[in-house]
Amino acid sequence: MAHHHDEPFRPNGGDFSDLNRKLDRRDFLLRTASGLGAVALSGLLTGRAVANPAEAMANQISARLGQIAPKARRVVYLFMAGGPSQFETFDYKPKLLSMLGKNLPDSVRKGQRLTGMSANQAALPIAPSAYQFKPYGKNQTWVSELLPYTAQVVDELCLIKSVYTEQINHDPAITFFQTGHQLPGRPSIGSWVSYGLGSENNNLPAFIVLVSKDASKDQPLYARLWGNGFLPSEHQGVQFRSGKDPVLFLNNPEGYDGTDRQQMLAYLTQLNQLQNESWGDPEVNARIAQYEMAYRMQTSVPDVMDTTREPDEVFDLYGPSSRDKGSYAANCLLARKLLEKDVRFVQLYHQGWDHHGGLPKGMKHQCGQIDRATAALIVDLKRRGLLEDTLVVWGGEFGRTVYSQGQLSATNYGRDHHPRCFTMWMAGAGVKAGISYGQTDDFSYNIVKDPVHVHDFQATLMHLLGVDHEQLTYKYQGRRFRLTDVHGKVINGILS
């Protein structure tokens, strides 16, 4: 029944005193948006595909930002939590071999701050790497003996040796990498990608997170690292786990056969519709979108989590631990399956890289866990034709110091946090393969060529996805926010 513009608007003919007012333009837009959410779920339950408002908005944003030709359709980000040492991985410093135990020169440190863990040391003795390096690939790129499998695919990698950050402690540094700000509360990088580009698979989330079960838990991880912040909640990362319930609260409870699931969702939609009409709550549409996705995921998740149909040669490629669900190797294999399903952003976290003491032994253990499977992921993506439009990222939140923290010998030492320079790498869509970008001094303490800030890395990742990082914004509390805040520039020197 049509309402005259002078009559109060009452949803469903109800007599709600708090809504006894004229239907102005804002009310109309709010109620229309909520109605579209109900139509979307109705379409789902009746088998008709109807785009929901959040997806429509994402498509509009994507169209507006489509002035950059995207090189990558999807991203897999291998985050090494704890800060892996560049000295034992990719930043070869042979001159240090003759400087064991010598104090770090003041001319190198330049008065830069230290953490509280080494600020009171009487000396800062230099610790050369206990491990050998060899040149590999067409460009004879130096790689540590701890990474023999990665060394075999170095021609696919773009090593960035000059990354730096202002954050010197773990939590703010990881938060900075993942959200563009050192304080919690901002949307994660995967959430920004989901918000800006939407999903290419209607049956799986655009942003999925995998955390290694076999890693050392030296530094904690928090769900806010893949949270949506102030973006609509359907853009938060969804963690897939090993075990009986890969996604929490997705499966039906024991004893419930699910035959009346559609009817229950239909009634739940009506309740959400009433709430939105009463209060204009923008999260109602997000909640409806999440219910839609959960309904579809009850079928899609068991299928994508099932690796039993993978041939033996795939498990051989990723290594024996790839058969152990939840391990880093198994998560790399699962990441490949998710990328095949066109999941937009897959993030793997592997903890255990915080080596303040016993670093040679700790690094050998960590590299042994990730080396083979990381290289296998590159090989597997390439042979399936996925590497050409998938961006692979590897790195931690900061690097390690050239000087030893604690007891020092030629075979045993520790390294403190070092934010001034460290190494990451990218591979695949849109980046130059087989190159090293940026340069550090002989002590890997300062950058001498082509510095790359965290915001530059984030801007470049978005650029490769076809997004101008300055244009993808969200208005919150009276200010327009973006992933890179008011900083960041694209690293043109690594683009192919």
Side-chain angles (χ1 to χ4, degrees), residues 5-75:
H5 70 277
D6 289 331
E7 295 177 353
F9 179 80
R10 296 181 176 87
N12 300 326
D15 185 18
F16 300 143
S17 58
D18 61 323
L19 292 175
N20 190 20
R21 63 179 186 269
K22 294 181 180 179
L23 176 62
D24 58 23
R25 183 169 61 179
R26 178 174 296 181
D27 289 327
F28 173 77
L29 291 173
L30 284 172
R31 299 182 196 290
T32 302
S34 66
L36 289 174
V39 170
L41 185 56
S42 174
L44 169 74
L45 298 178
T46 58
R48 296 191 301 270
V50 181
N52 62 52
E55 185 174 344
M57 180 179 291
N59 290 336
Q60 292 174 12
I61 294 169
S62 180
R64 179 164 60 86
L65 300 178
Q67 311 204 358
I68 301 172
K71 297 293 183 67
R73 291 177 55 193
R74 59 192 83 82
V75 176

Side-chain angles (χ1 to χ4, degrees), residues 312-332:
D312 288 341
E313 66 90 11
V314 170
F315 290 107
D316 293 341
L317 178 66
Y318 284 86
S321 61
S322 62
R323 296 182 184 272
D324 181 13
K325 291 184 178 181
S327 68
Y328 177 82
N331 284 348
C332 282

Side-chain angles (χ1 to χ4, degrees), residues 185-188 191 224 226-233 236 283 476:
R186 302 284 182 93
S188 60
S191 294
R224 58 175 168 77
W226 49 91
N228 57 293
F230 44 70
L231 293 177
S233 57
Q236 67 180 320
E283 270 298 298
Y476 174 68

Side-chain angles (χ1 to χ4, degrees), residues 156-448:
E156 301 294 341
L157 309 185
C158 174
L159 294 175
I160 307 173
K161 297 183 177 180
S162 54
V163 187
Y164 72 100
T165 179
E166 289 87 13
Q167 315 310 323
I168 201 170
N169 290 312
H170 292 285
D171 187 67
I174 295 177
T175 304
F176 192 47
F177 252 103
Q178 298 306 291
T179 72
H181 198 277
Q182 64 177 329
L183 297 178
R186 302 284 182 93
S188 60
I189 188 169
S191 294
W192 278 112
V193 171
S194 172
Y195 169 69
L197 297 178
S199 176
E200 290 192 314
N201 185 324
N202 290 328
N203 299 318
L204 289 168
F207 178 20
I208 293 176
V209 175
L210 305 168
V211 180
S212 301
K213 71 172 185 180
D214 55 344
S216 303
K217 304 298 189 292
D218 49 17
Q219 293 297 329
L221 296 175
Y222 304 98
R224 58 175 168 77
L225 295 173
W226 49 91
N228 57 293
F230 44 70
L231 293 177
S233 57
E234 70 263 34
H235 300 297
Q236 67 180 320
V238 177
Q239 184 178 353
F240 280 25
R241 306 163 186 261
S242 59
K244 181 180 179 182
D245 295 317
V247 180
L248 296 182
F249 313 117
L250 182 65
N251 291 336
N252 293 326
E254 291 186 13
Y256 173 63
D257 60 13
T259 54
D260 60 347
R261 171 70 72 181
Q262 291 186 347
Q263 184 179 16
M264 181 185 71
L265 287 175
Y267 279 117
L268 190 58
T269 300
Q270 292 181 35
L271 291 174
N272 285 329
Q273 172 81 4
L274 287 172
Q275 180 181 351
N276 201 16
E277 288 175 341
S278 299
W279 304 106
D281 183 0
E283 270 298 298
V284 170
N285 288 327
R287 193 178 305 134
I288 291 173
Q290 288 170 312
Y291 288 150
E292 292 178 8
M293 178 59 71
Y295 184 78
R296 295 191 294 266
M297 285 170 62
Q298 286 190 318
T299 300
S300 62
V301 168
D303 177 64
V304 77
M305 295 292 291
D306 181 12
T307 59
T308 58
R309 287 170 288 182
E310 294 288 334
D312 288 341
E313 66 90 11
V314 170
F315 290 107
D316 293 341
L317 178 66
Y318 284 86
S321 61
S322 62
R323 296 182 184 272
D324 181 13
K325 291 184 178 181
S327 68
Y328 177 82
N331 284 348
C332 282
L333 175 54
L334 180 56
R336 188 267 291 164
K337 292 193 67 180
L338 293 170
L339 295 168
E340 280 185 309
K341 298 289 187 180
D342 285 324
V343 172
R344 183 76 72 179
F345 200 99
V346 181
Q347 181 134 31
L348 275 66
Y349 286 91
H350 189 75
Q351 297 160 276
W353 298 91
D354 189 27
H355 298 125
H356 292 273
L359 183 141
K361 181 179 179 181
M363 283 295 292
K364 184 176 182 179
H365 173 75
Q366 289 294 114
C367 291
Q369 284 190 320
I370 66 99
D371 178 42
R372 183 170 180 173
T374 300
L377 180 59
I378 298 290
V379 171
D380 208 6
L381 290 173
K382 185 172 183 179
R383 68 183 184 179
R384 295 169 189 271
L386 291 169
L387 189 60
E388 61 189 26
D389 58 2
T390 300
L391 179 66
V392 186
V393 180
W394 184 97
E397 66 267 34
F398 44 53
R400 314 303 294 199
T401 55
V402 64
Y403 59 81
S404 176
Q405 181 181 345
Q407 185 179 4
L408 169 64
S409 71
T411 57
N412 190 33
Y413 48 87
R415 299 192 190 276
D416 203 353
H417 309 165
H418 189 60
R420 296 299 302 162
C421 56
F422 53 103
T423 301
M424 298 179 65
W425 57 255
M426 294 182 174
V431 297
K432 293 178 180 177
I435 72 162
S436 293
Y437 183 85
Q439 185 178 339
T440 61
D441 61 21
D442 290 336
F443 301 84
S444 194
Y445 206 86
N446 299 293
I447 296 169
V448 297

